[in-house]
Amino acid sequence: MNKLFSRDRWKEIIEVLSGNWFRTVLTAFGVFWGIFILIILLAAGKGFENGVNMEFGDTATNTMFMWTRTATKAYQGMPKNRRFNYNLSDVEDIRQNVSDLRYVSPRNQLGGFNGANNVVRGIKTGGFDIYGDYPEIIKQEPMDITSGRFINYNDINQNRKVAIIGEGVRSSLYEKDEKFLGTYIKIQGVNFMVIGTYKKKNNDGDGEEGQKQIYVPFTAFSQAFNRGDRVGWMAITAIDGTPITNIKEKIFNIVRKNHKIHPDDERAVGHFDLFQEYSRVQRLFTAIRVIAYFVGILVLLSGIIGVSNIMLIVVKERTREIGIRRALGASPWNIRGQILTESVFLTIISGMAGIVFSSFLIYLINLAMASSGPVDMFANPSVNLGVVTSALTILIISGLFAGFIPAQNAIKIKPIEALRTD
């Protein structure tokens, strides 16, 4: 062990590798480039993952959105191609008969894309999405309340005509420094008092359209706009550990039974499974990491082959020296250890240079993104300590492999034959 860390041994290693520095640098560049590519690919994959996760924001990903479509099959005396609506009894049936659900939020909606102006305040008008919701929706579709408050169950139980408006709505209907809390806006002729403002948390919500929505209590919405007990659509979230994908068929069966929909009619119930989409994205990220490691290691392998070749040349050039050492009593392990140490040292030094340069490049990219603003679907490319540790482990193993064959050749040299070599 002391021999391994002796000053003379390391001095010899430096002398051997610097004896033909140009050859050593060219050899080291292969390892440098392999690690550099590996780190950059992993950082780029992480940046893509961060960007996509920012698009999801804090949205409850174990959620399904469900709405009605046209029944495509006749069933129990009901014709095909008919429309139907959910109602509050469907919501209650789902809550009572499907376990492992965290939230079942009925929703109604006015407005939408290309909708007409439906909100008036004084002489100002605008066309906005109006949602009739329950308080739980803020946990399924997270937003920051920038002033005032969100809907609560007192609002629901007392049918209060109150509204939470987006920052985009506020800027459209109010002057910059104008008071807005406690004022009234008129939605399709019905007055609602503004009790709060919000800003969406995810990237889509940071855009202008994401802030041009208005939330009112579900009960007040139904009363003001004559919806009765009808439900336009639902946001349903399962508890952690139980994917909504695994239990959504139970939910579909309940509403099919309630509305006399054929059990095999898969089109009548429209839905969007956010958990399923999120899981696909996570699998994509895993595939990207595997590809990054695969490509990086292949590039690194070419560098390792170069190191192995150069060590073979070094052993050939030092045949006489090795023969003298063997004649003086150097053990095979001593000779093998010298070659392996030189190989690992060259590999680690060149690999660490690759890690340092790639980290510096990642830092510059993050600096540029911070100054120029966010890039769609890409944010904060980075590598964690685990990746660096993995890279160092790969380097050490690679260095040992690179030096193994030259080391074996070295210990096969016979002292007599070596001393005869010119």
Side-chain angles (χ1 to χ4, degrees):
M1 184 64 69
N2 292 333
K3 291 182 179 180
L4 179 63
F5 294 102
S6 68
R7 180 179 298 180
D8 291 340
R9 166 165 283 199
W10 286 104
K11 183 179 178 180
E12 182 180 350
I13 290 173
I14 298 299
E15 288 177 353
V16 169
L17 295 180
S18 61
N20 189 332
W21 66 267
F22 185 70
R23 181 180 67 186
T24 301
V25 169
L26 287 180
T27 303
F29 182 78
V31 178
F32 166 88
W33 188 244
I35 287 295
F36 180 86
I37 292 296
L38 174 62
I39 297 296
I40 291 299
L41 287 175
L42 289 172
K46 187 63 176 178
F48 176 54
E49 181 177 355
N50 291 338
V52 172
N53 285 335
M54 285 178 65
E55 292 291 328
F56 281 100
D58 292 328
T59 301
T61 52
N62 199 11
T63 297
M64 173 184 70
F65 300 95
M66 187 173 73
W67 59 91
T68 65
R69 294 193 294 197
T70 303
T72 59
K73 296 182 179 182
Y75 186 63
Q76 292 186 354
M78 304 298 290
K80 66 177 182 178
N81 298 325
R82 63 185 174 90
R83 300 287 301 181
F84 67 100
N85 295 294
Y86 299 137
N87 52 52
L88 291 175
S89 63
D90 293 321
V91 176
E92 190 59 30
D93 278 351
I94 292 170
R95 286 175 177 160
Q96 294 296 325
N97 296 298
V98 181
S99 58
D100 298 330
L101 293 181
R102 176 167 290 175
Y103 308 117
V104 182
S105 299
R107 306 189 79 179
N108 279 318
Q109 179 180 358
L110 287 174
F113 294 109
N114 300 319
N117 289 342
N118 53 9
V119 180
V120 178
R121 183 186 174 269
I123 61 173
K124 294 185 176 182
T125 61
F128 307 108
D129 286 320
I130 318 297
Y131 293 107
D133 272 314
Y134 276 77
E136 291 85 358
I137 197 66
I138 197 172
K139 298 175 182 177
Q140 298 169 284
E141 189 179 312
M143 61 190 81
D144 290 320
I145 301 302
T146 53
S147 63
R149 65 175 179 84
F150 194 65
I151 300 164
N152 60 36
Y153 268 95
N154 285 333
D155 300 325
I156 295 291
N157 296 332
Q158 297 176 28
N159 292 359
R160 290 175 181 168
K161 293 182 175 61
V162 294
I164 294 84
I165 63 176
E167 291 290 346
V169 178
R170 184 190 64 78
S171 61
S172 297
L173 300 181
Y174 295 86
E175 299 299 330
K176 184 175 181 181
D177 298 322
E178 187 178 2
K179 175 186 175 182
F180 54 89
L181 292 179
T183 64
Y184 287 84
I185 58 175
K186 190 170 288 187
I187 303 175
Q188 288 196 345
V190 180
N191 284 318
F192 285 79
M193 185 175 71
V194 176
I195 61 169
T197 56
Y198 75 87
K199 186 174 183 180
K200 288 289 181 69
K201 287 188 175 183
N202 57 8
N203 276 3
D204 289 338
D206 288 338
E208 184 179 357
E209 291 304 316
Q211 314 307 329
K212 290 189 174 181
Q213 298 169 348
I214 300 174
Y215 294 85
V216 304
F218 182 91
T219 49
F221 184 104
S222 298
Q223 183 184 68
F225 307 118
N226 299 317
R227 295 298 177 94
D229 68 344
R230 283 180 293 168
V231 172
W233 48 297
M234 304 181 208
I236 304 173
T237 302
I239 63 173
D240 294 340
T242 302
I244 190 68
T245 306
N246 294 352
I247 58 177
K248 64 184 181 183
E249 197 61 36
K250 295 179 182 178
I251 299 171
F252 298 158
N253 289 337
I254 288 173
V255 296
R256 286 181 186 133
K257 180 180 178 182
N258 288 351
H259 296 278
K260 297 183 179 180
I261 304 296
H262 196 286
D264 298 329
D265 190 345
E266 297 182 356
R267 178 172 173 75
V269 179
H271 77 285
F272 177 76
D273 187 341
L274 186 58
F275 178 84
Q276 193 172 55
E277 297 304 315
Y278 185 74
S279 298
R280 287 174 181 169
V281 171
Q282 294 303 311
R283 288 194 294 271
L284 173 62
F285 295 149
T286 301
I288 289 174
R289 283 191 291 271
V290 170
I291 292 171
Y293 272 109
F294 180 74
V295 173
I297 289 174
L298 281 183
V299 176
L300 179 61
L301 182 61
S302 64
I304 297 303
I305 292 173
V307 173
S308 184
N309 287 335
I310 200 68
M311 294 309 299
L312 284 171
I313 295 172
V314 168
V315 168
K316 182 69 175 177
E317 293 173 344
R318 296 165 64 190
T319 300
R320 188 176 181 84
E321 173 197 331
I322 294 171
I324 292 173
R325 286 189 176 187
R326 292 295 306 275
L328 293 175
S331 66
W333 171 247
N334 185 273
I335 301 298
R336 183 189 291 114
Q338 179 74 19
I339 302 300
L340 288 175
T341 303
E342 293 171 5
S343 174
V344 171
F345 178 74
L346 177 59
T347 304
I348 289 181
I349 291 298
S350 52
M352 285 300 297
I355 292 174
V356 170
F357 274 86
S358 59
S359 299
F360 182 67
L361 178 60
I362 293 168
Y363 169 77
L364 292 179
I365 292 172
N366 278 293
L367 201 63
M369 291 178 63
S371 60
S372 63
V375 179
D376 287 343
M377 305 293 284
F378 194 80
N380 188 29
S382 59
V383 291
N384 56 33
L385 183 61
V387 171
V388 175
T389 303
S390 298
L392 288 174
T393 303
I394 291 171
L395 285 173
I396 294 171
I397 294 173
S398 300
L400 291 173
F401 274 113
F404 180 76
I405 294 177
Q408 290 300 109
N409 285 353
I411 64 175
K412 290 178 182 178
I413 295 175
K414 295 180 179 179
I416 301 292
E417 294 177 359
L419 293 174
R420 291 173 181 170
T421 303
D422 293 332

